[in-house]
Amino acid sequence: MSENTEPLRKMTRSQLLEILVEQSKAVGEIRERMEQLEKQLQEKDEVIEQLKKELQEKDDKNAASLRVLQDRLKKSLAQNKALKDAAEMERQIHTKPLTEAKTITEASRYMDQLLASTRKTLAQYHKLIEKLAKEAKKHE
């Protein structure tokens, strides 16, 4: 320890004061820099929190949109099933009299009814498909 203090003992008071002033300035600059860094860190933390909040809001919005789309899909599937069931029922209704028809004219009339029902069902399918395509384009 005496080795470290020997050079200091040989210095004059003004030199020692000068060293203390320089060290004080250096400590002040370090404190200032540390305060700046802490301020930047705090600002970045605030930005991160804001981004997290925005991300959560977007996640919530996307989840809500997904639920709406799932509900629409369920409704569309239900409509599709109802149309299939109606078409099957129509087919059964028209097929039975067709097999029981006694004349070609009677069978032809039943076939015409079956064809009309098929056209009607096909038109309903087309409308449903167009509606689904429009919905899908809205959400792209």
Side-chain angles (χ1 to χ4, degrees):
M1 186 171 224
S2 62
E3 292 177 15
N4 291 341
T5 58
E6 278 303 316
L8 291 176
R9 289 182 186 203
K10 292 180 181 177
M11 291 184 178
T12 63
R13 286 186 180 182
S14 63
Q15 289 173 329
L16 290 172
L17 284 174
E18 195 175 305
I19 290 173
L20 285 174
V21 168
E22 288 176 13
Q23 286 179 348
S24 175
K25 286 180 184 177
V27 168
E29 289 173 0
I30 290 172
R31 283 187 182 155
E32 210 175 281
R33 180 67 180 144
M34 191 171 107
E35 287 173 2
Q36 290 173 350
L37 291 173
E38 286 176 351
K39 183 178 177 182
Q40 288 176 352
L41 179 62
Q42 183 180 359
E43 289 171 357
K44 289 185 181 194
D45 284 344
E46 290 171 2
V47 168
I48 288 172
E49 287 303 316
Q50 181 62 31
L51 290 173
K52 283 181 181 178
K53 182 180 176 184
E54 289 174 11
L55 181 62
Q56 185 61 44
E57 289 172 359
K58 286 182 180 182
D59 285 347
D60 293 344
K61 184 178 177 181
N62 287 339
S65 296
L66 180 62
R67 284 190 298 274
V68 167
L69 289 174
Q70 287 173 336
D71 289 344
R72 287 183 183 167
L73 178 61
K74 286 178 184 176
K75 288 178 184 177
S76 296
L77 291 174
Q79 286 177 337
N80 191 6
K81 185 178 181 331
L83 286 174
K84 282 183 180 180
D85 292 346
E88 180 61 24
M89 194 180 301
E90 285 282 329
R91 187 187 67 76
Q92 288 176 357
I93 289 171
H94 290 295
T95 304
K96 186 175 180 184
L98 182 62
T99 58
E100 297 172 355
K102 296 181 176 143
T103 65
I104 292 179
T105 307
E106 195 176 337
S108 176
R109 189 177 29 179
Y110 287 127
M111 289 297 291
D112 287 343
Q113 289 174 352
L114 182 60
L115 184 60
S117 294
T118 304
R119 285 182 184 145
K120 181 180 173 183
T121 304
L122 182 62
Q124 289 174 337
Y125 272 122
H126 281 294
K127 286 180 184 178
L128 181 61
I129 289 170
E130 287 174 1
K131 182 179 174 183
L132 290 174
K134 287 179 184 178
E135 289 290 325
K137 284 183 181 180
K138 285 181 185 178
H139 298 287
E140 286 182 351

